Amino acid sequence: MMTVRCYLAPSSIEGLGVFCHEPIRKGDTVWRFDDRFDQRLPRSLVESADPVMREFLERYGYDHLDHPDHLFLDADEGRFMNHADQPNTDFRGADFGIALRDIPAGEELTCDYREFTFGELHMQPSRHRVAALAAE
């Protein structure tokens, strides 16, 4: 669950991104897994899911290095956090993410997917028509 006030907006990285409403200080927690809100799903659910659900889970679910038989799914804006090779957050803690530097209000929050992904990183095509909607 995001622990800072944030919003979704078009991202120059990919489709939608998570942006902070207020400045965040280096070391502040920006996200924390909350089992009352976020989901921990057995991988067998993904494998047996219908195609539409499977596409969604593969797109927004993520690995947890301590629980390889499960897929995790954020219930809030966190699922839209985009990857960056030089992110402004650190998710090596697995159950929380912290700001690596001061982040000004309005900046997109990014993370390095490799910090919590098993094997090779595979980026998927955009699922959102943000650019097309903005042009209409």
Side-chain angles (χ1 to χ4, degrees):
M1 174 175 184
M2 297 301 299
T3 59
V4 295
R5 288 191 64 236
C6 58
Y7 60 95
L8 298 179
S11 167
S12 62
I13 297 170
E14 193 278 318
L16 291 172
V18 179
F19 294 79
C20 56
H21 270 286
E22 299 159 350
I24 300 169
R25 292 181 20 194
K26 179 180 179 177
D28 283 355
T29 299
V30 298
W31 177 89
R32 179 174 304 285
F33 181 78
D34 185 332
D35 62 5
R36 298 170 301 170
F37 197 61
D38 302 311
Q39 295 184 33
R40 176 179 163 179
L41 307 166
R43 288 202 181 271
S44 59
L45 174 67
V46 178
E47 295 161 6
S48 65
D50 66 68
V52 173
M53 180 187 282
R54 185 178 191 149
E55 177 188 353
F56 181 85
L57 293 172
E58 288 176 347
R59 173 77 174 153
Y60 295 112
Y62 57 91
D63 297 324
H64 189 296
L65 300 178
D66 295 336
H67 303 282
D69 295 333
H70 289 85
L71 187 72
F72 286 69
L73 181 66
D74 291 349
D76 64 356
E77 299 91 348
R79 75 174 64 160
F80 294 98
M81 193 175 292
N82 286 315
H83 168 80
D85 289 333
Q86 295 184 343
N88 53 18
T89 65
D90 179 345
F91 277 79
R92 288 177 287 172
D95 290 328
F96 62 93
I98 61 168
L100 288 170
R101 59 174 173 76
D102 289 344
I103 303 171
E107 183 172 322
E108 182 171 4
L109 300 176
T110 59
C111 60
D112 185 341
Y113 292 174
R114 295 170 295 200
E115 292 177 348
F116 49 83
T117 299
F118 296 122
E120 189 176 333
L121 186 62
H122 295 282
M123 302 306 248
Q124 297 182 13
S126 180
R127 193 178 150 96
H128 306 284
R129 295 179 36 215
V130 175
L133 291 174
E136 292 177 1

